[in-house]
Amino acid sequence: MTLGYRTTDGSIVTLKPIAAQSTPLGDAPALKLSGREYAAMSTGRVLRAAQAHFDYPAPDGDGAVRAGAKTVAADELGALMARKRFAVFEDGESGLLRLAYRELVLRFRADSTRVQQAQLLKKLGLSKRSGNAFHAQQFVVVDAARRYSVEALIELALQLGEQALVEFATPNFISQYTRCASSAPPSPAKAQWHLAMVRARQAWALSQGRKSITVAVLDDGVDVDHPELKARLKRKPDPQEPRDLLGRDFYVPDSAADHFDPRPKRFRMPFDQMNGNDIHGSCCAGVAVGSGPRGFGMAPRCSLLPVKIFHADDLASDARVADAVRYAAQFADVISCSWGGPRSPDLQAAIADASTQGRAGRGAVIVCAAGNDAAPRVSYPAADAHCIAVGASTDARLQADYSNSGAQLAVVAPSSGGAKGIFCTDVALPGRGFNIGSVAAGGVDGLFTNDFGGTSSATPLVAGLAALMLSLKPQLSPAQVAALLKRSAVKIGPPGSYDANGHSKAYGHGMVDALKTLQAVKALKP
């Protein structure tokens, strides 16, 4: 039987198994992936993900091996690794890595009763492990008795999706997500040319943003102590949770000590490279809402909600990424996602709920990166119908060669790929960030970088513009925001790129123009 999972539209995405052989190597666990050529970094990612999410044995740095909070004796290591068997797959749609263990995410239909739910789970030998703080009918269920192999549990999820009581069922995947900064180093740029290109300064005569409008940046953390970001933070976003002072970290459990700290936390040498480092989200935040005077964002007077969902490029829980979207939709008006990953029915449901029920019922505006694969497809979640998909153009007003194309592309925004990169805030910690302290890279103080880019930079620029639109007219729906962005976009690139409806797979409806967009918003009748 072909392994796969069902998405919310009923389609099935196949999973290609990757053989994962785990054996003790000395006193530590070791892993070998096979089935195709995998870099050592991929193997390391998988092993770290299993250790972080499945309590798989890991060295603790003091010469001992631990599984969760328990110390593992040397003669027990092999047996424990056998019991902790997990499965590794290549996602058939995105090509990204996915891990599964003994859990499913299960959402029951609203009219199902607790008794009916319990009867179904008992029949299948499953039990509820935890509820969902954002949806009363959604649970993580576990095969506590190890009744099923991982593959059999994935097949069971497909069968559960056909049950009358069930809205969706999916393996509780730990997945690979890709941040969408360009890896091609552009030439240093000394000024924020991208703001001039979209006529931001002229648009600021109409609005620089309102503090009451918030942009949530879902990423690998935001440097909340940066001098041009800290003034923009939305303080105490959740009035019902006194520990929520300025955002959350959904990579770790709610019970973790640093769940309420959305700062960058993961750093590995070399510290100026994105792989292994939490240096992406601080740049995205600066492009959206940097307060200046050195690194202005598109909406310099709007508020910022940092929501950490990644620890560098380690694999992340689909369920936690989905819950981060739900959280952001409660307390932010615009959600900026400069990353892509595999589809998940849980994430699909979270995005649908956020775009229709978020922002106190008006719906949160969700802006996503189209991806940097130079591929004729838009990455997920940008390809979701509830999201605004953003591609990248260059300082020469052409499509950036890395920017993905496709029918779902809404607009493009200036980014790297030509002669210039994007100047914006960087991680302020000394020796950390894209600029670790170089004049040529953005300044000896390391507070700014001038070589950010990719659809990662284009996306928060559009998110910031959406925040300016809502600052003028908070009652706008996500659909209205998307329509106005498309209608006011400027056609760039070859004229033959656009079809009869004014859409181009390479440019969407064109490059955003902040002044035209805000003028169009002001012209709307009350």
Side-chain angles (χ1 to χ4, degrees):
M1 179 177 179
T2 301
L3 287 174
Y5 62 94
R6 182 179 283 104
T7 64
T8 55
D9 61 6
S11 61
I12 295 178
V13 179
T14 59
L15 295 166
K16 179 183 178 182
I18 298 170
Q21 181 181 0
S22 56
T23 54
L25 184 62
D27 294 331
L31 182 73
K32 180 180 180 182
L33 299 181
S34 58
R36 77 173 194 186
E37 292 300 320
Y38 274 88
M41 182 176 291
S42 295
T43 304
R45 285 176 181 169
V46 170
L47 187 57
R48 289 196 304 272
Q51 292 165 343
H53 299 282
F54 306 147
D55 285 343
Y56 196 75
D60 68 358
D62 294 323
V65 174
R66 292 186 179 276
K70 298 180 180 179
T71 301
V72 182
D75 59 353
E76 297 175 347
L77 181 58
L80 179 59
M81 290 169 65
R83 291 200 305 273
K84 289 280 186 180
R85 182 181 176 270
F86 58 90
V88 186
F89 303 96
E90 179 182 326
D91 189 84
E93 182 176 71
S94 65
L96 298 172
L97 291 169
R98 309 197 83 163
L99 276 66
Y101 185 40
R102 294 188 295 130
E103 295 180 346
L104 302 178
V105 176
L106 185 59
R107 179 180 291 188
F108 290 100
R109 296 195 183 277
D111 56 357
S112 67
T113 67
R114 290 291 189 257
V115 172
Q116 290 173 319
Q117 295 170 12
Q119 289 174 340
L120 177 61
L121 294 179
K122 182 179 180 180
K123 176 183 175 182
L124 298 171
L126 303 175
S127 57
K128 292 179 181 177
R129 168 161 283 179
S130 61
N132 187 287
F134 302 96
H135 199 288
Q137 294 286 62
Q138 184 166 314
F139 304 90
V140 173
V141 300
V142 61
D143 172 25
R146 291 182 169 84
R147 179 174 174 178
Y148 304 92
S149 67
V150 176
E151 292 78 7
L153 199 62
I154 291 173
E155 293 176 9
L156 179 61
L158 284 174
Q159 296 167 18
L160 275 169
E162 299 173 352
Q163 294 279 336
L165 296 177
V166 176
E167 186 169 328
F168 71 75
T170 182
N172 193 10
F173 286 119
I174 305 300
S175 298
Q176 179 185 6
Y177 289 83
T178 57
R179 295 166 291 174
C180 296
S182 173
S183 58
S187 301
K190 296 181 179 180
Q192 292 191 291
W193 59 271
H194 61 291
L195 293 177
M197 184 166 281
V198 300
R199 299 201 290 176
R201 290 175 177 82
Q202 294 93 322
W204 288 341
L206 300 176
S207 177
Q208 293 183 37
R210 293 167 55 183
K211 186 177 181 180
S212 60
I213 301 299
T214 300
V215 178
V217 174
L218 275 62
D219 214 283
D220 61 14
V222 171
D223 186 348
V224 298
D225 303 306
H226 194 288
E228 294 197 8
L229 295 177
K230 63 183 180 182
R232 301 270 54 86
L233 293 171
K234 184 180 181 72
R235 303 285 179 173
K236 299 181 179 179
D238 184 354
Q240 305 303 315
E241 176 49 79
R243 294 172 295 174
D244 193 349
L245 301 178
L246 39 74
R248 302 192 190 184
D249 180 351
F250 279 85
Y251 185 86
V252 300
D254 292 356
S255 58
D258 57 351
H259 172 60
F260 294 98
D261 180 5
R263 292 174 173 84
K265 299 167 184 171
R266 180 66 60 84
F267 298 103
R268 298 191 188 100
M269 291 185 65
F271 298 122
D272 59 351
Q273 300 299 309
M274 197 162 60
N275 288 340
N277 290 288
D278 286 342
I279 61 176
H280 186 260
S282 299
C283 298
C284 294
V287 173
V289 297
S291 62
R294 288 175 61 189
F296 280 107
M298 186 70 242
R301 297 296 174 263
C302 286
S303 295
L304 166 67
L305 178 62
V307 184
K308 186 173 174 66
I309 55 175
F310 306 130
H311 279 198
D313 44 7
D314 284 357
L315 276 65
S317 162
D318 291 355
R320 297 295 285 168
V321 173
D323 281 350
V325 172
R326 295 183 177 104
Y327 165 79
Q330 289 186 352
F331 306 114
D333 305 275
V334 182
I335 300 174
S336 182
C337 302
S338 290
W339 44 269
R343 280 200 294 174
S344 154
D346 195 6
L347 182 55
Q348 288 179 293
I351 288 172
D353 291 344
S355 67
T356 55
Q357 302 167 25
R359 199 165 52 106
R362 292 188 179 121
V365 178
I366 307 173
V367 186
C368 301
N372 297 343
D373 308 305
R377 60 172 178 81
V378 173
S379 297
Y380 193 82
D384 195 293
H386 297 95
C387 300
I388 298 172
V390 180
S393 56
T394 70
D395 57 323
R397 299 167 72 92
L398 296 171
Q399 181 194 26
D401 58 7
Y402 54 77
S403 185
N404 289 357
S405 305
Q408 300 96 339
L409 195 65
V411 290
V412 297
S415 188
S416 62
K420 300 177 182 178
I422 301 300
F423 183 92
C424 62
T425 57
D426 201 353
V427 175
L429 294 170
R432 302 292 186 269
F434 289 102
N435 174 16
I436 57 176
S438 162
V439 172
V444 71
D445 58 11
L447 294 177
F448 301 88
T449 176
N450 57 21
D451 66 354
F452 194 53
T455 54
S456 276
S457 183
T459 297
L461 189 148
V462 176
L465 180 52
L468 293 183
M469 297 167 72
L470 295 178
S471 296
L472 287 177
K473 282 197 165 44
Q475 69 271 25
L476 290 175
S477 70
Q480 288 174 310
V481 169
L484 286 164
L485 285 169
K486 295 173 185 177
R487 195 174 76 204
S488 59
V490 177
K491 298 291 189 284
I492 62 172
S497 299
Y498 297 86
D499 61 23
N501 296 316
H503 181 268
S504 162
K505 290 184 178 180
Y507 297 96
H509 290 268
M511 184 185 72
V512 292
D513 184 304
L515 178 60
K516 280 185 65 178
T517 301
L518 294 196
Q519 288 174 334
V521 172
K522 284 189 70 72
L524 291 175
K525 295 181 180 179

